[in-house]
Amino acid sequence: MEEKKEMNRGLKNRHLQMIALGGAIGTGLFYGSASTIALAGPAVMLSYLLGGIVIFFIMRMLGEMAVYEPVSGSFSYYAAKYWGAFPGFLSGWNYWFNYVIVSMAELTAVGIYMNYWLPDFPQWLSALICLVIITLINLINVSVYGEFEFWMAIIKVSAIICMIVLGAYLVLAAPAGFPANFSNLWSHGGFFPNGAWGVAMSIVVVMFSFGGIELIGITAGEAADPDRTIPKAINQVIWRILIFYVGTMLVLMALWPWNEVGMEASPFVQIFSNVGIPAAAHILNFVVLTAAISVYNSAIYSNSRMLYGLAENGDAPAFLKKLSHRSVPVRGIFISSGITLLIVILNYFFQGHVFMYLLSIAVAAAVISWVTIVVTHLKFRRWCARENHPTKFHALLYPFANYLCLAFLAGIILLMTQIPDMQLAVIVLPVWLIVLWAGYTYQQRNK
């Protein structure tokens, strides 16, 4: 097999735009929102807004570094260069771990969505079929991945826009008239049924929904014209948050009482089925299934590129640097996909009890990634000031936003200790950091 030393810049602007959208619309919104609604009620809209603003700040920080130096496995490379060897090692392996957990959560969701149509079909078998198909797609080349993700994202975006329009029509056309047709927003315990504490608790679960938006930084090494495409994709994040999260929650909460939304299926599917539009429910179930498959597709892509970037930096075995004749990191794809087989086994033995545990661990790992980006950006800007290197795409409110984001992320970890289903992740987090330190120490001794 002929080997190449560099990846192809095969991702076009339309691919990047839809990859960014794909990262913003997944199981965290379509299924995980059931948990956030239970915690915050109609005020869940504020939870998505607050979390989204913080993520937008972080994305601008990553974007400034990615435009300045577009490389594969971006924030692992930046952390190593501007912060130190261990932060680079930690951020790369942690991001890989994070997306392995996200992959498992998405595969679990695939089984849940398939059960809406085929209640007797085993969840583990749905997950296995999805795993095999997506792995094969990623093995072809980056353009095929980008094209597949482009069309999957088109389905998600189009469906959400149609759902918002249909939901808004149903609300506005209600015979009760304004404002009574919005009464579900305040008639079941008020807009803040569980108070400010409920909103705060829901933000923890909301942050899972935003995990994946930073995938834009990973694509930098394979993006055509990164100076133009990366800023354009990142600047649209805030509008996606307002439309696809806040707007969607407004419609859902107005359509149906928040306290009647359960965890048996996606809230989107439940609510449209309850209001008497079963066809819409079936369409939405197809969309949420597409969303889970799409995010799993992006997870396999990003994990393989992160392993490649770690190997390039000397933080992973050198054999992971090898590319196929199509410039695809095949070995990283097989390793990342193979490890997610574990969830197929877990779903076989513990069907129905896995998703929330995976979600909590994914949030903890995502917090590590976001903290690394924020601190690395502080180091990066100081380096730029010392070396008199101007940047083309500036982060907002530096350095105030950096410290604000760090305080917010520290609050997320503290809140996780108060949610029973999240407490496992708080225990796993320090154990995982110790494992990373041990791995780094072993690597340094054997260099």
Side-chain angles (χ1 to χ4, degrees):
M1 179 184 291
E2 180 185 352
E3 302 289 352
K4 295 185 179 181
K5 293 184 179 180
E6 294 183 355
M7 294 185 184
N8 290 333
R9 290 193 178 271
L11 295 179
K12 301 175 183 177
N13 178 49
R14 65 186 179 88
H15 293 149
L16 276 183
Q17 294 297 320
M18 286 301 150
I19 287 169
L21 280 172
I25 305 170
T27 298
L29 174 62
F30 285 125
Y31 182 69
S33 55
S35 300
T36 62
I37 291 168
L39 288 165
V44 69
M45 290 178 281
L46 295 181
S47 305
Y48 280 103
L49 181 61
L50 292 172
I53 290 171
V54 170
I55 289 298
F56 181 60
F57 281 139
I58 295 173
M59 284 299 299
R60 287 291 297 241
M61 297 170 201
L62 177 58
E64 184 171 7
M65 296 185 288
V67 170
Y68 181 82
E69 196 168 6
V71 295
S72 185
S74 60
F75 43 86
S76 171
Y77 173 86
Y78 305 140
K81 181 173 180 178
Y82 300 109
W83 190 357
F86 176 63
F89 180 93
L90 179 149
S91 62
W93 280 108
N94 177 72
Y95 188 78
W96 176 82
F97 171 75
N98 182 21
Y99 250 105
V100 165
I101 300 300
V102 168
S103 300
M104 293 180 176
E106 299 299 334
L107 285 178
T108 300
V110 166
I112 293 169
Y113 299 149
M114 286 301 298
N115 282 166
Y116 181 77
W117 291 314
L118 305 170
D120 297 324
F121 196 78
Q123 286 189 14
W124 68 268
L125 187 55
S126 299
L128 181 61
I129 293 170
C130 175
L131 183 151
V132 171
I133 293 173
I134 296 304
T135 300
L136 292 175
I137 288 172
N138 274 268
L139 288 172
I140 301 173
N141 61 44
V142 69
S143 297
V144 172
Y145 157 75
E147 200 64 29
F148 181 82
E149 190 59 29
F150 174 81
W151 289 108
M152 297 286 271
I154 285 285
I155 292 172
K156 292 188 286 186
V157 172
S158 301
I160 287 188
I161 291 173
C162 290
M163 186 215 69
I164 291 174
V165 171
L166 175 59
Y169 169 78
L170 292 173
V171 173
L172 295 174
F178 181 85
N181 46 7
F182 285 94
S183 61
N184 282 325
L185 295 177
W186 57 79
S187 295
H188 306 280
F191 187 74
F192 293 91
N194 297 319
W197 182 245
V199 173
M201 298 280 274
S202 70
I203 290 177
V204 179
V205 186
V206 160
M207 297 312 289
F208 175 77
S209 303
F210 295 124
I213 292 181
E214 70 279 0
L215 179 59
I216 268 295
I218 302 294
T219 64
E222 294 172 279
D225 192 11
D227 285 4
R228 183 176 63 88
T229 55
I230 293 175
K232 187 174 181 180
I234 288 174
N235 281 333
Q236 290 183 0
V237 167
I238 192 65
W239 300 111
R240 290 196 294 272
I241 289 167
L242 290 173
I243 294 171
F244 297 122
Y245 288 102
V246 181
T248 297
M249 287 299 113
L250 173 60
V251 168
L252 291 183
M253 293 298 91
L255 275 176
W256 200 255
W258 70 272
N259 53 347
E260 295 181 21
V261 176
M263 293 286 290
E264 296 78 23
S266 167
F268 293 66
V269 176
Q270 290 181 57
I271 289 172
F272 275 89
S273 180
N274 290 344
V275 297
I277 311 180
H282 285 289
I283 293 169
L284 281 170
N285 196 64
F286 169 75
V287 172
V288 297
L289 177 63
T290 299
I293 295 171
S294 167
V295 176
Y296 182 71
N297 182 43
S298 290
I300 295 300
Y301 166 83
S302 63
N303 270 349
S304 62
R305 271 59 182 182
M306 183 56 79
L307 288 178
Y308 175 84
L310 285 166
E312 285 278 284
N313 292 338
D315 290 332
F319 75 87
L320 291 170
K321 289 192 293 184
K322 300 294 184 181
L323 303 177
S324 73
H325 66 282
R326 296 188 181 95
S327 297
V328 173
V330 171
R331 296 170 182 178
I333 290 173
F334 276 126
I335 289 173
S336 300
S337 181
I339 289 177
T340 59
L341 274 172
L342 175 63
I343 200 58
V344 176
I345 299 170
L346 291 176
N347 273 310
Y348 179 80
F349 288 105
F350 305 105
Q351 180 171 323
H353 300 280
V354 176
F355 182 79
M356 281 302 295
Y357 292 117
L358 291 173
L359 185 149
S360 65
I361 296 172
V363 170
V367 166
I368 296 176
S369 293
W370 294 327
V371 166
T372 303
I373 292 170
V374 174
V375 176
T376 299
H377 180 258
L378 284 168
K379 306 279 186 181
F380 166 76
R381 285 292 293 265
R382 291 166 187 165
W383 178 86
C384 288
R386 286 196 308 269
E387 301 296 326
N388 195 26
H389 281 207
T391 59
K392 301 175 184 177
F393 181 58
H394 302 294
L396 299 175
L397 302 179
Y398 165 85
F400 171 77
N402 297 67
Y403 297 117
L404 176 66
C405 291
L406 290 175
F408 178 88
L409 294 171
I412 293 295
I413 297 298
L414 290 175
L415 286 169
M416 289 175 71
T417 65
Q418 305 302 306
I419 302 176
D421 285 344
M422 294 276 182
Q423 290 168 354
L424 173 65
V426 179
I427 297 171
V428 169
L429 184 60
V431 173
W432 173 233
L433 291 174
I434 291 170
V435 169
L436 287 173
W437 175 252
Y440 172 76
T441 303
Y442 175 82
Q443 178 221 40
Q444 295 298 304
R445 288 175 180 172
N446 289 275
K447 271 190 174 180

